[in-house]
Amino acid sequence: MAVARQQNIRLMSSIAPSDKSIQSTTSISNTKREIHSDPTRLQYAAQPMYYPDHSTAKEAPQEETSSGMMDRFKITAEVTISKIFPAGLGWQSSSIVAEEYLGYAPDTVAFALTTGLGDAIGVMAGHCAYFAAKKSIVGNESINMERETQTGLLLASAAFCSGTAWQPLVDVLQASDLSFAQVFVGTWVGCGTAFYLGLRGARTILSGPCRYIQEPTYENSTTDKSLSVAIGGATGFFVGTDTAYLPTQNFLINAVGIHDTTPALAGCIIAGTSTSLGFVSAQGTLNAIYPSGKLWNDGK
């Protein structure tokens, strides 16, 4: 994300058998059915734990899921805090490391890969830290940290793709002498697409070794697309941090512009703020206009 120039988720019969062996078989069948009945959506908030029959572990209270408007915005806020802000901060921090300490020019592959890695680390670290803290502070035993670690890995893999694509894409668009609005939209579409492709690829690769990551399906492709649109919005707003390109057209410059005189730490915070504003703006619009059950944050 930004700054080349600044520092820039029935039994077959209804008759209950009396035979103990049949009961045992039914118990095993039910156990398997429970273990593999994870929700089909990309998981961002902690999901309820499921325990086999006769388990000695205490069953966590079941949380009600709802696709109501308030739930959509609650999850949106949670994701913004735990992943979107850390992603922008991570990209900007790694751009400083790449350019000032590693000597990579902003137009090099090494720079792009370094910033993509910083983006991914921000997402992974932010996601895991947030849910670990939530579990500890709130005492919510339904938060399964193995599940959250795997979810963080899935999202970080996709963020690596969009974070790596950001600088080369912006450079190409700016070199084409496009208006700021055109660069803004082009980055939104390009990085949103990169995130989606990274997410689908990560599902394909990680669903085997990671039991909480679903393989690609038609249903999660729909929710992945809606998430990618919002991520694209975050990357588009990140373009506003570049104050050198057509500053008079940059309608975000006063809110998230990073200038040459901006301290490094402040620049990183501004970068995280820009991605957060973009994500909330895009996702907030989707929350308002999409019918129930159609978004990644509907809890279905």
Side-chain angles (χ1 to χ4, degrees):
M1 314 186 156
V3 177
R5 298 165 179 79
Q6 278 64 38
Q7 304 164 359
N8 5 342
I9 286 240
R10 182 182 319 158
L11 290 174
M12 293 304 295
S13 171
S14 59
I15 302 175
S18 59
D19 187 88
K20 291 184 179 180
S21 64
I22 297 178
Q23 290 178 347
S24 176
T25 302
T26 302
S27 175
I28 295 173
S29 176
N30 288 341
T31 298
K32 291 182 179 179
R33 196 175 295 116
E34 289 180 349
I35 291 175
H36 297 287
S37 59
D38 290 336
T40 56
R41 74 183 183 91
L42 182 61
Q43 296 144 351
Y44 287 90
Q47 299 297 309
M49 291 280 290
Y50 298 96
Y51 298 93
D53 292 345
H54 312 302
S55 171
T56 58
K58 182 178 179 181
E59 184 174 359
Q62 298 294 312
E63 296 181 349
E64 295 183 1
T65 57
S66 170
S67 58
M69 190 67 68
M70 290 303 296
D71 289 311
R72 281 182 169 184
F73 280 99
K74 178 181 178 181
I75 295 174
T76 298
E78 188 172 64
V79 170
T80 302
I81 294 170
S82 64
K83 288 170 276 295
I84 306 303
F85 182 89
L89 186 148
W91 194 102
Q92 181 69 15
S93 299
S94 62
S95 74
I96 295 172
V97 172
E99 189 170 10
E100 297 187 5
Y101 295 94
L102 299 179
Y104 300 148
D107 60 352
T108 62
V109 173
F111 182 92
L113 291 173
T114 302
T115 51
L117 180 61
D119 197 326
I121 291 174
V123 170
M124 182 73 182
H127 179 85
C128 293
Y130 178 87
F131 281 104
K134 183 177 180 180
K135 181 174 184 177
S136 176
I137 295 173
V138 180
N140 188 345
E141 294 302 320
S142 70
I143 296 178
N144 179 349
M145 287 309 300
E146 181 184 1
R147 181 198 301 272
E148 298 309 328
T149 299
Q150 292 180 13
T151 299
L153 178 61
L154 173 66
L155 298 173
S157 299
F160 173 79
C161 296
S162 58
T164 299
W166 191 91
Q167 188 68 61
L169 178 59
V170 170
D171 286 345
V172 169
L173 294 173
Q174 291 181 348
S176 300
D177 292 327
L178 301 179
S179 67
F180 176 83
Q182 290 172 319
V183 175
F184 174 84
V185 173
T187 303
W188 186 321
V189 174
C191 287
T193 301
F195 184 89
Y196 176 75
L197 294 176
L199 197 56
R200 303 307 287 176
R203 284 190 182 281
T204 301
I205 296 170
L206 299 176
S207 58
C210 300
R211 59 174 176 163
Y212 291 113
I213 294 179
Q214 295 174 348
E215 63 184 6
T217 65
Y218 173 78
E219 184 174 20
N220 61 37
S221 73
T222 302
T223 53
D224 285 355
K225 287 175 185 175
S226 68
L227 173 62
S228 299
V229 170
I231 295 297
T235 65
F237 270 64
F238 197 40
V239 176
T241 61
D242 185 356
T243 57
Y245 187 74
L246 302 178
T248 58
Q249 296 182 20
N250 185 347
F251 53 86
L252 296 169
I253 193 169
N254 293 327
V256 297
I258 300 178
H259 302 271
D260 290 332
T261 57
T262 302
L265 179 59
C268 293
I269 294 174
I270 293 172
T273 301
S274 71
T275 55
S276 299
L277 288 174
F279 181 80
V280 169
S281 298
Q283 188 60 52
T285 301
L286 295 176
N287 289 346
I289 66 176
Y290 261 65
S292 175
K294 298 298 183 180
L295 293 178
W296 61 268
N297 56 345
D298 277 329
K300 61 181 180 177

